């Protein structure tokens, strides 16, 4: 075997010994597993109105966008969605990318100048971390949700442009960032605050407009919001929203936008329909909050180490990576899908099961799934 393949095999063996092997588990359209692993928080991926809107656009435009947004990939489906997203989020303008990952990388890079100081929360998502790395400027990683550390980093770089980067609802433990306090510190030092609202959009805030809106920061001129369209909206793609001048800058300079094939028009149309449902979905959000509290209470009552859910993510600590993998597999064998997070996906080297609470799961199935998780615990 070629030397480079031998080296890869050796690295795979080391990952296996550390309990870090990853495998794909394909599912069929008729899958009956109780899903506490996917991100379809409000059950909209299969909602009839969403599917109908996507199907109509599919019949009109075909399967793909056929090009990048600046060539032939922009359609009225994209532009209509962007207008609706901007209005919902309370920003001057919004721009749709083909994935949330690319939106984050492009958003961070576009806010950076040669002397910019980037300040990134230690628990940030990999896409934000990669955005910081690609930017090629000095990055200070501050302890998780530590506003004083952010303030100290900014104060230590007087006269330099600053960019504070955080998630709103953190994807690993589901806790809420201190957004209002972070914004106050950033503004005091003339810095911009970028918030990835992926797990907040649709789940929190007025009419589901997200954690940024809930914190009273919607439309602030020194705040940029990013999000994926693949979680509460049940689709795919990403969005960056903020001041019109900044979005214009993205259109003209962001490599992850310019050189990438556009989101399929059918997906854009389906997401647009989902936005309208989400805005009227206060009852679904209330159900999510009740279920998250129920899950945390029941699992904690069984002696498990459980996070405090600020939205619809509940994290349960596992003793080792191997135990997390075995726990998730045992749940799956009993018809319950849960997320399994192990290093390096976790920022603190602690393995977890992650439950994403979904309103699309029946209440009876949801409560049964909690029982299975407890019974399968290591």
């Amino acid at each position: 075997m070629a030397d480079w393949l031998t080296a890869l095999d050796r690295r795979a063996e080391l990952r296996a010994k550390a309990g870090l092997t990853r495998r794909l588990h394909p599912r069929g359209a008729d899958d009956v597993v109780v899903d506490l692993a996917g991100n379809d928080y409000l059950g909209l991926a299969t909602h009839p109105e969403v599917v109908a809107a996507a199907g109509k656009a599919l019949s009109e435009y075909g399967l793909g966008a056929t090009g990048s947004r600046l060539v032939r990939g922009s359609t009225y489906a994209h532009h209509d969605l962007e207008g609706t997203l901007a209005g919902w989020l309370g920003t001057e303008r919004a721009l749709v990318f083909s994935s949330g990952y690319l939106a984050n990388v492009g958003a961070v890079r576009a806010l950076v100048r040669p002397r910019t100081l980037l300040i990134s929360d230690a628990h940030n998502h990999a896409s934000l971390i990669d955005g910081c790395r690609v930017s090629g400027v000095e990055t200070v990683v501050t302890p998780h949700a530590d506003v004083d550390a952010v303030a100290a980093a900014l104060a230590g770089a007087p006269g330099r442009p600053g960019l504070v980067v955080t998630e709103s609802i953190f994807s690993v433990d589901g806790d809420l960032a201190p957004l209002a306090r972070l914004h106050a510190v950033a503004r005091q030092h003339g810095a911009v605050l970028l918030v990835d609202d992926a797990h907040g959009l649709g789940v929190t805030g007025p009419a589901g407009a997200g954690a940024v809106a809930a914190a009273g920061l919607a439309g602030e001129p020194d705040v940029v919001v990013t999000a994926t369209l693949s979680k509460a909206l049940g689709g795919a793609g990403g969005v960056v929203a903020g001041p019109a001048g900044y979005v214009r800058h993205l259109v003209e300079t962001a490599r992850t936008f310019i050189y990438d094939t556009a989101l399929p028009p059918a997906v854009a149309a389906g997401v647009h329909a989902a936005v309208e449902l989400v805005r009227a979905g206060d009852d679904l959000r209330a159900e999510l909050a009740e279920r998250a509290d129920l899950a945390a209470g029941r699992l904690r009552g069984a002696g498990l180490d459980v996070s405090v859910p600020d939205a619809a993510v509940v994290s349960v600590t596992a003793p080792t990576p191997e135990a997390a993998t075995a726990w998730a597999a045992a749940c799956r064998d009993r018809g319950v899908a849960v997320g399994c997070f192990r290093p390096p996906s976790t920022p603190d080297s602690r393995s977890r099961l992650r439950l994403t609470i979904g309103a699309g799961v029946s209440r009876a199935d949801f409560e049964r799934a909690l029982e299975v998780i407890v019974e399968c615990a290591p």
Side-chain angles (χ1 to χ4, degrees), residues 15-21 318-328 340-344 346 349-353:
R15 287 195 299 273
K17 288 181 179 179
L20 301 179
T21 297
T320 64
E322 295 87 350
T325 303
W327 193 358
C340 180
F341 279 35
R342 297 160 291 159
T346 57
S349 299
R350 184 161 55 95
S351 294
R352 301 161 170 83
L353 294 192

Side-chain angles (χ1 to χ4, degrees), residues 85 88-89 95-104 107 127-128 168 194-202 209-210 212 224-233 236-241:
L85 287 170
W88 186 31
L89 299 176
L95 188 67
V96 167
F97 287 66
S98 66
S99 76
Y101 198 106
L102 294 179
N104 272 347
S127 56
L128 293 174
S168 59
L194 185 150
V195 182
D196 176 1
D197 212 0
H199 289 275
L201 187 66
V212 173
V224 169
V225 181
T226 68
T228 178
L229 309 176
S230 63
K231 293 182 169 53
L233 295 173
V239 62
V240 182

Side-chain angles (χ1 to χ4, degrees), residues 162-330:
L163 174 60
V164 178
V165 180
T166 184
E167 294 183 59
S168 59
I169 302 296
F170 285 90
S171 56
V172 174
D173 279 334
D175 54 319
L176 174 65
L179 296 179
R181 293 171 57 210
L182 285 172
H183 178 250
V185 166
R187 176 166 286 184
Q188 178 184 352
H189 294 278
V192 174
L193 175 65
L194 185 150
V195 182
D196 176 1
D197 212 0
H199 289 275
L201 187 66
V203 177
T204 62
V212 173
L217 303 179
E220 291 292 335
D222 49 1
V223 174
V224 169
V225 181
T226 68
T228 178
L229 309 176
S230 63
K231 293 182 169 53
L233 295 173
V239 62
V240 182
Y246 170 66
V247 174
R248 179 190 63 215
H249 181 67
L250 285 172
V251 171
E252 295 178 355
T253 68
R255 295 170 70 87
T256 57
F257 176 82
I258 296 170
Y259 299 106
D260 184 52
T261 297
L263 188 73
V267 176
V271 169
H272 198 168
V275 171
E276 301 305 329
L277 293 167
V278 168
R279 294 173 80 164
D282 286 346
D283 54 338
L284 292 176
R285 280 181 284 279
E287 176 69 15
L288 283 184
E290 183 180 330
R291 290 189 185 194
D293 288 341
L294 173 63
R298 289 226 180 144
L299 298 176
R300 196 174 291 120
L304 299 173
D305 182 6
V306 183
S307 65
V308 176
D310 284 318
V313 173
V314 177
S315 171
V316 191
T317 299
T320 64
E322 295 87 350
T325 303
W327 193 358

